[in-house]
Amino acid sequence: QVQLVESGGGLVQAGGSLRLSCAASGIIFRINAMDWYRQAPGRQRELVAGITGGSTNYADSVKGRFTISRDNAKKTVYLQMNSLKPEDTAVYYCYADVIAFYGSSPSRYWGQGTQVTVSS
């Protein structure tokens, strides 16, 4: 059993910054990928940023503004969001690909989401 606990969402003005955190806890042998997704009302859920090992990737819409990082000791992934725009408004979800025991297959977990609202 794995839980992902998100924090850092809130209301911010356009041009401002927020830092999201997602901490994983539970039965964890190794975490492969940790990602951030977001979903705005009436829109498809999209991958915002991901980190796997030393490799990161970003959606084109956030590249250059957002930075994903990971603290393996704390089993925590962060999303630093700068130069925020109203179109960044969405519920942001943490995702983790987790191996519980050596030799087991990965399981996929989602956080419950945190609201980010950017006002103009």
Side-chain angles (χ1 to χ4, degrees):
Q1 185 177 357
V2 172
Q3 285 189 286
L4 303 178
V5 180
E6 299 140 326
S7 63
L11 176 64
V12 66
Q13 291 185 330
S17 298
L18 285 173
R19 189 186 190 222
L20 305 183
S21 299
C22 174
S25 62
I27 303 172
I28 300 171
F29 171 71
R30 185 165 65 91
I31 300 176
N32 293 327
M34 295 192 79
D35 302 334
W36 287 99
Y37 288 76
R38 69 185 181 188
Q39 188 167 26
R43 297 193 63 186
Q44 192 84 4
R45 184 176 297 190
E46 65 172 338
L47 177 66
V48 177
I51 184 165
T52 304
S55 179
T56 60
N57 62 284
Y58 299 91
D60 289 340
S61 60
V62 307
K63 192 173 184 179
R65 300 188 296 120
F66 291 9
T67 303
I68 189 170
S69 61
R70 180 173 170 177
D71 186 329
N72 291 326
K74 295 181 178 180
K75 298 182 177 64
T76 300
V77 64
Y78 306 93
L79 186 67
Q80 178 66 47
M81 305 185 293
N82 298 326
S83 302
L84 283 162
K85 304 174 181 179
E87 51 261 44
D88 295 319
T89 296
V91 178
Y92 283 70
Y93 297 92
C94 179
Y95 166 89
D97 196 43
V98 177
I99 297 175
F101 305 100
Y102 177 79
S104 66
S105 60
S107 297
R108 294 153 178 84
Y109 295 92
W110 292 89
Q112 64 183 20
T114 184
Q115 177 70 47
V116 172
T117 302
V118 184
S119 62
S120 60

